[in-house]
Amino acid sequence: MKEKIDINNWIRKDHFKFFSAFEEPFFGVTVEVDCTATYEEAKENNVSFFLLYLHKSLLAVNQVEPFSYRIIDGEVWKYNTVNAAATINRPNGTFGFGYMDFYEDFEEFKTEANKEIEKVQATTGLIPASSGENVIHYSALPWLNFTSLSHARNYSYQDSCPKISFGKVREENGRKIMPVSIHVNHALMDGYNVGQFVEAYQDLLNEKEVKAYI
């Protein structure tokens, strides 16, 4: 489900028109998050650390409204739910694209996401997911402790999906620290909104809801 934003009466009207004229309207930041509690939670409950931190990022994304805005044929639409279009790594070093629906309950999300992971890993090629516009483009680079990141872009395509990438977890003073890159379309949101996401994500990473994952 989605609803159209009335641009003429939108508080971001001027911002939207200004940045929509850019050849590259995306801006990006790289931050570090403390994922100690979530890492321990995954180990304690024998669940995928990747799926757990991915799910918590989707929980945060769905709390910050501008992450649900998309530009379609020059109009702005707001989706009720945002899902994941994620790169799935294979043992042979390649990857494929997978589509994962968002569920508030982690157990339900994990079950469906594992089906998608198994499907992608059992095949070859990219397998572009028919995911629509209401997704976050996710990628994981667990081999790299990056401090910045750029993305391949097709400038002839009007892209407005946010892109979030996760890096290598490192140990620092007994804590688990992970770099996270966030790229968003400036016509739809500002640094303030990215900050809202990072704050919400860190709060969720700090929480250990063991009962939900038994």
Side-chain angles (χ1 to χ4, degrees):
M1 294 288 292
K2 65 181 187 294
E3 59 181 288
K4 187 164 71 172
I5 300 293
D6 182 358
I7 295 176
N8 289 324
N9 292 307
W10 192 26
I11 192 172
R12 288 192 54 81
K13 174 184 175 181
D14 290 345
H15 303 72
F16 173 75
K17 291 186 175 180
F18 180 74
F19 288 109
S20 291
F22 281 40
E23 291 181 2
E24 170 56 301
F26 275 74
F27 74 92
V29 299
T30 298
V31 300
E32 292 185 335
V33 296
D34 185 331
C35 55
T36 308
T38 295
Y39 183 87
E40 293 174 350
E41 181 180 15
K43 297 302 180 184
E44 290 169 2
N45 294 279
N46 195 31
V47 298
S48 165
F49 174 54
F50 166 69
L51 287 182
L52 189 53
Y53 73 63
L54 177 65
H55 180 253
K56 291 187 178 187
S57 76
L58 278 172
L59 283 170
V61 158
N62 280 279
Q63 290 178 17
V64 183
E65 184 172 303
F67 278 81
S68 68
Y69 296 155
R70 298 293 181 273
I71 302 171
I72 303 174
D73 296 328
E75 298 178 324
V76 180
W77 293 79
K78 176 186 175 296
Y79 282 90
N80 292 340
T81 304
V82 180
N83 304 305
T87 58
I88 306 300
N89 298 319
R90 301 189 181 99
N92 65 4
T94 66
F95 72 89
F97 294 119
Y99 173 75
M100 303 173 184
D101 280 324
F102 168 65
Y103 299 93
E104 286 195 20
D105 177 68
F106 175 71
E107 192 63 35
E108 192 172 6
F109 172 78
K110 174 173 68 72
T111 298
E112 296 304 314
N114 276 326
K115 292 178 184 177
E116 183 72 359
I117 290 172
E118 290 176 6
K119 182 182 76 173
V120 173
Q121 290 185 337
T123 55
T124 60
L126 286 177
I127 322 171
S130 300
S131 56
E133 296 290 333
N134 62 324
V135 295
I136 302 294
H137 292 155
Y138 281 108
S139 56
L141 295 84
W143 324 275
L144 298 174
N145 179 28
F146 57 75
T147 56
S148 65
L149 187 134
S150 62
H151 290 275
R153 289 286 311 279
N154 179 358
Y155 290 104
S156 65
Y157 173 72
Q158 189 181 52
D159 185 13
S160 59
C161 293
K163 306 172 195 316
I164 299 177
S165 302
F166 308 99
K168 181 179 181 178
V169 176
R170 73 178 190 277
E171 190 92 15
E172 185 175 297
N173 298 322
R175 310 298 295 176
K176 301 289 187 182
I177 307 298
M178 180 173 66
V180 180
S181 169
I182 306 146
H183 283 74
V184 297
N185 192 311
H186 215 337
L188 300 177
M189 71 176 88
D190 304 315
Y192 172 75
N193 308 114
V194 175
Q196 288 179 308
F197 162 75
V198 173
E199 182 177 3
Y201 188 35
Q202 184 62 72
D203 286 344
L204 289 162
L205 289 172
N206 291 341
E207 294 178 4
K208 295 178 65 175
E209 302 172 300
V210 177
K211 291 182 180 179
Y213 310 134
I214 294 177

